[in-house]
Structure formats: structure tokens, C-alpha cells
Amino acid sequence: MIKENQQLFNRLHVISDGFLIFLSLPLAFWIRFYILPNGVITVPLVQYIRLDFLLTAAQLFIYASFGLYQSFRRIPLRRELPRIWLAGGLVMAILLSVLFVNHGMHYSRWTLALFFVISSGALSCKRIALRKALRYFRQRGYNLKHILILGSGQAAQDYLRAVYADRELGYHPIGYISANRMKLARMPAYLGGFEKLEAVIDVQNLDEVICAVEPEEDHWTPQVIMACEKAGIKLSIIPTYARYMSSKPQFDELDGIPLLNIRRIPLDNLANAFCKRVIDIVGSLVLIILTSPIMLACAIGVKLTSPGPVIFRQKRVGQDKHTFYMYKFRSMRVNKRQDTGWSSDQDSRKTRFGAFMRKCSLDEFPQFFNVLRGDMSLVGPRPEVPYYVEQFKEDIPLYMVKHQVRPGITGWAQVNGLRGDTSIKERIEHDIYYIEHWSLLFDLKILFLTVFKGKFLNSEHLI
């Protein structure tokens, strides 16, 4: 019943959002002037109601622009909720800009702030409840999306495993078509070879066809496309080279020719890179000022406890494979293995004061100057020495992708416990995830976890 009334459901979804948004402003007005103290009404409620119509229309439009009315199946809640608050914040920013320019409007700023919190909070709660309701129905066989799989290779099997692993998505594979039978413990019905595709589409009540053919079956793709378009069935294609792509590829266009960039890097966008660099400059300056007494004490401690330089400089590989010198307080005695040696917790080369600095991550503080210089960022993949880069790039798939962004003092791998003598492969997987999913909020999350999970700066055990 839900499936047959999908359009009605989508319309009710938008209407209910509009209803909640519209009610939020009168509620904010009531709280500000009748609940909170010192409320003086300078603009009557009727004026707020008139504004409410514009706000509701604008917010629904912005929500649609942010993709908030797409299918829930492919947008996880952790991505949808930030979009709601970001879209609401954009509407408020536009409104406050208009009010700033037009001095004749004297709407209460507190009322508008309450409106933003109430509307965004109400819509977030609604979506959480709606997802729970859909989960309940889908687990009982309602609101299912019936799909047909084309292919039986690794891509098709990986897709089926993902579908079966999360039944709440509501995908129901009715069968698969392929030249060969699939070898899975759990699999849908085998419906024959590719020559039977049109007949299967005519008989089955399908919502979508998933084309996951192997390279040797790729010659069937034009026929698959024609059959699906002839029947008006949505077709999604998993490229034969999907295993080499990121989860979020980017498409460009050259004179009508589509170009697929297999790895989308948000920091290639100049606006994103500018915002990150501004935060790095401001953040590093603030941290240098705040930690300057500690750094002075560390410098004195290093000088008094061991002969040699206070600052240890080590060549590392940074963005675009350019090398730079990363700074640390020297925590070891001067030795011949400082460019290649990998230290351990019981390393005999460490001084007692150096061991103390490492335990508290104080030896990493000079890297704030690397950030200020532009060699590093506050957040990013940890840089390695050239000696290890030459080794890892031959042994670890996609290792060199990390050098497409600035290295960081802390990163997604580090806050997930991948520090020191841990799996390089897992570390790179986390680094690539960070590179492909970068956002300012993601950076703030990593900085928060760095501080509150006790992993501040203590990122690796290279000398």
C-alpha cells in the first residue's frame, strides 16, 4: 500500500515539513514574549505571520535544493540531519542580511533564533521518527523496492551482500540474470542469460535494474540500456572498474563529453581549500600563543637533559609529494638512525625528559609552526619520511593518494586508534575516507575527538 502511494507519501512529507516550519515562528514568538523575561513586543504577531509564509516557502525550497526530499534509502540519517541544520542556517543568514540592510524592519532577533532552533529541531525529530516507522514497515515486507541484478561477478555479489546486510533499506532482489550462476550462500533466483532480459522485465513488477556486469560481459551493456529505457525502468550501473573508484566519483564535461574523475576530492574546490587554510592560520596562531609557556619549558628541559639541538627537524613528504622539514622537540639522543629508525615505547635512544614529552604529546607542539607556514594542516593524513614512502607506495594500494592534500598534526586514522605500530593499510583506508568525505564539520569532529579521546597530537612513533 505504501509503495502504490509513493507520490502521495512524498507530498505529505513536504506538506508536513511546511506545517512544522510554519508553526515554529508563532511558537518562538510566544516563548520569547510570554515565557522569557524582558519581552517587549515592537512588531505585532500578524507581521510575524506574514513573514512566516515567506520563511516557510524559502525553507522548503532550500531543503529541496539540499536534496532533503530524495529517497531515504540512499541518504543515511547522519548525513541528512546536518543538512537540515545547514539549510535552516542558510535561510536565517539570508533573512538576517535582509533585516540588516532594511532598517525599517524591527523583528526580534531572539524570536528568529528560537524559530531556527525549533524548526530545525522539529524537522530533525520528525525524520528520526519517520525513519523508524519506515524501518518497522520494511522489516515486515512493506515499502519494498523490487530490483533485478545483472551479472554474477564480484560487483554483483558485493552489492547483494550490502543489500542483505541492511534490510532496513527495503531492497528486495527478485532474481539475477547472468551468463553464469552466482556462488553465494544466500542469493536470489537465477532467471537465465542476458537474452531473457526483456522478457523478465515484461513479466516482473520491477522498480529498478542494477547492472553489475563483469568486463567480459560489458558488450551486453548497450542492450541492457535499451531494454530498460524501452520499459521505462530505472537503471543503475556499477562500473566494471568500480573497485578502483571512490564511493563519490565526480563528473565533468568537455563539449558534451562526460568525464569521470574516479576520486572526488572536496579540497580541490578553491572555496573549501580557502576556508580550511583560514582555520589553519587562525588556529595555529591561537595555539602557538596558548602553548608558548609550555614550549619554552620544553625547550629548556631538552637543553638541560641532553646535548644537541632543541628542535628536531625531519624531512617528510607533504602535499603533491613535495618534501618539507617537520619540527618536533628532540626526545632522543642524536643518532644515525634518525631518518629511517622506527621507535618503540621501550626505545633506548629516548631521554627521560623526551619520554615524558612523548607521553604527554608535548614534543609535537612545534608543528603548529609547520601549520602556520603552510607545510601542514591541523587535520589531515600524517606525513611519513621519504624512506618509508618509497617502501609503502609499492606495498600498500592507494598509498600515494594521501599526498593530494596537506598532511596534518592529527587525523581520522589517529582518532580511531591507528597510531604508532599499527596497520598501515588500515591507516591509509581511513586517510582516503577523510580525503573523500572532507568537510569543515568533519575537521571539527576530528579535533574534538583528538582532545577528548586523549589522543592530542600523539600520532606516530617515527623519530
Side-chain angles (χ1 to χ4, degrees):
M1 179 177 178
I2 296 178
K3 178 185 171 186
E4 286 75 11
N5 293 280
Q6 188 66 48
Q7 285 189 343
L8 176 61
F9 174 79
N10 291 338
R11 289 172 185 169
L12 289 175
H13 184 39
V14 177
I15 291 171
S16 60
D17 274 3
F19 182 73
L20 289 173
I21 295 169
F22 191 82
L23 285 182
S24 297
L25 190 55
L27 179 58
F29 181 90
W30 178 70
I31 293 173
R32 173 64 187 94
F33 295 111
Y34 294 96
I35 301 297
L36 298 179
N38 304 320
V40 178
I41 299 176
T42 57
V43 177
L45 177 60
V46 65
Q47 290 292 99
Y48 282 94
I49 298 298
R50 291 172 184 170
L51 176 65
D52 205 3
F53 283 104
L54 294 175
L55 277 177
T56 302
Q59 202 142 326
L60 289 176
F61 176 79
I62 296 294
Y63 279 9
S65 302
F66 274 57
L68 287 168
Y69 295 115
Q70 297 176 2
S71 172
F72 286 169
R73 298 178 196 272
R74 294 179 179 176
I75 303 178
L77 186 63
R78 67 178 183 275
R79 282 170 48 196
E80 185 178 27
L81 294 184
R83 287 187 191 181
I84 290 174
W85 289 84
L86 186 59
L90 178 60
V91 172
M92 290 306 301
I94 295 172
L95 175 60
L96 292 175
S97 300
V98 172
L99 294 179
F100 178 78
V101 173
N102 192 332
H103 297 288
M105 298 180 180
H106 302 289
Y107 293 99
S108 165
R109 269 55 174 179
W110 274 111
T111 302
L112 297 179
L114 286 169
F115 162 77
F116 165 68
V117 173
I118 294 170
S119 61
S120 299
L123 294 181
S124 298
C125 292
K126 176 205 158 183
R127 275 164 167 72
I128 292 171
L130 189 57
R131 283 178 182 265
K132 287 186 176 181
L134 287 173
R135 183 185 309 156
Y136 174 84
F137 285 112
R138 286 169 180 169
Q139 287 177 340
R140 284 155 181 79
Y142 299 98
N143 190 232
L144 296 179
K145 195 167 190 176
H146 302 280
I147 57 176
L148 173 67
I149 311 294
L150 305 183
S152 59
Q154 190 63 48
Q157 294 180 39
D158 289 344
Y159 180 85
L160 281 172
R161 287 192 189 97
V163 167
Y164 287 137
D166 193 353
R167 302 298 294 179
E168 296 172 3
L169 294 173
Y171 288 108
H172 174 59
I174 59 101
Y176 72 98
I177 285 177
S178 177
N180 303 303
R181 288 183 177 270
M182 198 177 296
K183 297 178 180 179
L184 273 181
R186 183 181 183 185
M187 58 186 180
Y190 177 62
L191 301 178
F194 288 97
E195 66 279 358
K196 295 188 177 181
L197 175 60
E198 287 196 38
V200 170
I201 290 177
D202 288 339
V203 173
Q204 299 289 344
N205 183 23
L206 295 174
D207 295 299
E208 187 173 356
V209 172
I210 306 297
C211 182
V213 298
E214 292 299 294
E216 61 272 14
E217 301 172 325
D218 195 47
H219 63 279
W220 286 102
T221 301
Q223 183 175 329
V224 168
I225 295 173
M226 292 177 62
C228 291
E229 291 189 342
K230 178 181 177 182
I233 297 293
K234 180 181 177 181
L235 172 65
S236 295
I237 298 177
I238 302 175
T240 56
Y241 42 85
R243 71 195 65 178
Y244 306 107
M245 295 169 55
S246 71
S247 59
K248 292 184 176 181
Q250 180 176 343
F251 280 91
D252 291 329
E253 179 264 336
L254 176 64
D255 197 22
I257 301 173
L259 301 174
L260 173 64
N261 297 326
I262 64 170
R263 198 164 308 284
R264 174 181 174 269
I265 300 179
L267 285 172
D268 284 344
N269 180 283
L270 289 178
N272 290 341
F274 175 79
C275 291
K276 184 173 175 66
R277 184 62 189 139
V278 168
I279 291 174
D280 282 341
I281 293 173
V282 174
S284 60
L285 281 172
V286 171
L287 288 169
I288 288 170
I289 293 170
L290 292 177
T291 61
S292 56
I294 301 174
M295 286 197 279
L296 178 60
C298 288
I300 295 172
V302 171
K303 198 65 179 176
L304 294 177
T305 56
S306 175
V310 170
I311 297 296
F312 171 71
R313 298 193 318 155
Q314 188 177 54
K315 188 176 287 187
R316 299 288 177 108
V317 180
Q319 187 176 19
D320 298 326
K321 296 178 284 187
H322 294 150
T323 57
F324 69 98
Y325 283 100
M326 190 180 79
Y327 306 134
K328 299 175 68 172
F329 285 119
R330 184 172 55 84
S331 60
M332 292 190 174
R333 299 175 183 87
V334 177
N335 62 88
K336 296 180 180 180
R337 295 170 54 207
Q338 59 187 24
D339 290 327
T340 60
W342 197 295
S343 70
S344 64
D345 290 337
Q346 305 299 324
D347 201 307
S348 60
R349 294 169 294 166
K350 286 193 293 187
T351 64
R352 292 184 64 182
F353 186 72
F356 165 75
M357 286 195 301
R358 284 200 170 198
K359 184 177 181 180
C360 300
S361 300
L362 303 179
D363 61 322
E364 308 281 356
F365 279 14
Q367 287 165 41
F368 295 142
F369 291 96
N370 284 118
V371 175
L372 189 60
R373 283 168 49 95
D375 298 325
M376 296 177 65
S377 176
L378 293 174
V379 180
R382 285 297 291 176
E384 300 280 7
V385 297
Y387 176 84
Y388 284 108
V389 170
E390 291 302 315
Q391 290 187 12
F392 294 153
K393 75 177 184 180
E394 301 295 336
D395 302 329
I396 309 297
L398 306 179
Y399 179 81
M400 297 303 288
V401 173
K402 65 182 285 185
H403 298 112
Q404 296 186 23
V405 299
R406 278 193 183 93
I409 297 178
T410 185
W412 184 233
Q414 284 67 50
V415 298
N416 281 282
L418 296 169
R419 301 173 291 135
D421 192 15
T422 55
S423 168
I424 300 297
K425 183 176 182 296
E426 287 186 51
R427 206 182 300 182
I428 291 303
E429 289 173 355
H430 281 73
D431 287 340
I432 291 176
Y433 180 88
Y434 167 79
I435 291 169
E436 294 177 350
H437 295 82
W438 176 88
S439 70
L440 290 177
L441 288 176
F442 197 9
D443 270 3
L444 292 175
K445 176 182 178 179
I446 292 172
L447 290 172
F448 178 86
L449 291 173
T450 299
V451 175
F452 289 98
K453 290 180 73 172
K455 296 173 181 174
F456 184 61
L457 303 176
N458 191 13
S459 303
E460 34 68 30
H461 293 285
L462 281 174
I463 300 174

